Amino acid sequence: MQKIIMYLTKVFYKVGDIPIFNPLYIHAYIIHQWLLNFRSQPLSVNQKSAIIFSPHQDDETLGCGGLIALKREMGIPIKVIFLTNGQKSHIATPWVQPPENLIQVRKQEATTALHILGVKVSNIHFFDLIDGTLNHLSNEQYQNTIKHLIELIQTFKPGEIYVPHRKDNHPDHECTYKFVKAAIEQSQIELDLLQYPIWIFWLSPLFIKLKFSYLTGAYRLYINSVLEQKKLAITVYKSQAPILPPRFLKSFLLNHHEIFFKDQPKI
Ligand SMILES: [Zn+2]
């Protein structure tokens, strides 16, 4: 039975990877090109220290790997905080990666990827919440998480914070935005909040989710000089590669830019 499921999964992935059978690829491609060529403004790397909040081990590298490498090249302090331990990523595909040591595997992958991007282990933090549970934490877990986030923000005093997009089509990603936003408001520290897209271009028609006026506020950061570093860091995440749609992954490996949205709470 397991062999049949494995075979069907492989066929599903192969067929789904052909753009003509997958309208989401076409949508993602058009949105990306449109944003890049017509509706985004160039962003340059500044001197501000930054915290990158990542729901899972890989989002930080996919969404901000170029930014991290560019800032670290300039000696700018960066912290990376992982909200979850990623223990459930292979719940539907246990044969790809045994669940027993998945937490350790993913932590090791994150540490190695971030080392490539120039971030030391001492600047990486793991909150160890369970992935898939952020939108139904108990009140106590929620309060503890916010408290912990506030402590980190107040201690590090970053000039910028990066979070997944507030409508990123994944409950853990959207909760990461909400939690960090709440912590920033309570920490009373002035900083810039930027959102990085991971799934938003891929999983739903974008114009239904976001106003046109909002999309025109996108920023593009050119990462050509560190693209090889970013590619190498992405390939470190060997446990994730088999379960991510190949063309989705390829888009992060090939893009010479990263897209960010500055936080505009009222839109
Ligand atoms: Zn994620």
Side-chain angles (χ1 to χ4, degrees), residues 55-59 170 172-173 198-199:
H56 311 113
Q57 292 75 19
D58 71 355
D59 295 312
H170 188 303
D172 286 345
H173 288 216
I198 298 288
W199 290 108

Side-chain angles (χ1 to χ4, degrees), residues 42-53 64 66-72 74 76-81 149 152-154 156-163 180 184 187 189-196 219 221 258 260-263:
L43 184 72
S44 47
V45 184
N46 59 40
Q47 294 283 341
K48 292 179 182 176
S49 59
I51 302 183
I52 318 294
F53 286 97
C64 308
L67 171 102
I68 295 171
L70 287 169
K71 282 209 181 236
R72 287 303 303 133
M74 294 160 72
I76 298 165
I78 296 250
K79 274 201 187 295
V80 180
I81 319 291
L149 288 169
L152 265 163
I153 294 169
Q154 287 181 333
F156 190 61
K157 296 186 177 60
E160 293 180 330
I161 282 183
Y162 290 81
V163 280
V180 172
I184 292 170
S187 67
I189 287 182
E190 217 167 286
L191 49 82
D192 297 328
L193 180 60
L194 290 105
Q195 302 171 39
Y196 59 89
Y219 288 83
L221 174 75
E258 284 168 353
F260 298 101
F261 293 89
K262 291 193 179 176
D263 201 57

Side-chain angles (χ1 to χ4, degrees), residues 192-209:
D192 297 328
L193 180 60
L194 290 105
Q195 302 171 39
Y196 59 89
I198 298 288
W199 290 108
I200 191 168
F201 297 150
W202 293 87
L203 294 183
S204 70
L206 198 60
F207 291 102
I208 292 172
K209 295 202 100 181

Side-chain angles (χ1 to χ4, degrees), residues 8 40 73 75 95 103 164 181 189 239:
L8 288 175
S40 61
E73 225 172 50
W95 57 86
I103 296 174
K181 179 89 175 164
I189 287 182
S239 71

Side-chain angles (χ1 to χ4, degrees), residues 8-26 202 245-248:
L8 288 175
T9 308
K10 278 183 188 164
V11 171
F12 178 76
Y13 267 55
K14 283 231 159 85
V15 173
D17 201 41
I18 302 167
I20 201 159
F21 294 128
N22 195 335
L24 290 174
Y25 284 155
I26 298 165
W202 293 87
R247 219 163 275 268
F248 163 85

Side-chain angles (χ1 to χ4, degrees), residues 134-194:
L134 295 193
N135 60 347
H136 42 85
L137 293 183
S138 68
N139 190 41
E140 193 188 347
Q141 281 178 311
Y142 174 78
Q143 295 301 343
N144 281 340
T145 305
I146 299 293
K147 194 173 148 233
H148 201 163
L149 288 169
I150 294 171
E151 278 166 13
L152 265 163
I153 294 169
Q154 287 181 333
T155 308
F156 190 61
K157 296 186 177 60
E160 293 180 330
I161 282 183
Y162 290 81
V163 280
H165 196 277
R166 65 192 167 91
K167 293 192 177 182
D168 207 35
N169 281 324
H170 188 303
D172 286 345
H173 288 216
E174 294 179 12
C175 282
T176 300
Y177 171 84
K178 278 185 215 153
F179 295 175
V180 172
K181 179 89 175 164
I184 292 170
E185 278 165 8
Q186 291 179 54
S187 67
Q188 296 184 317
I189 287 182
E190 217 167 286
L191 49 82
D192 297 328
L193 180 60
L194 290 105

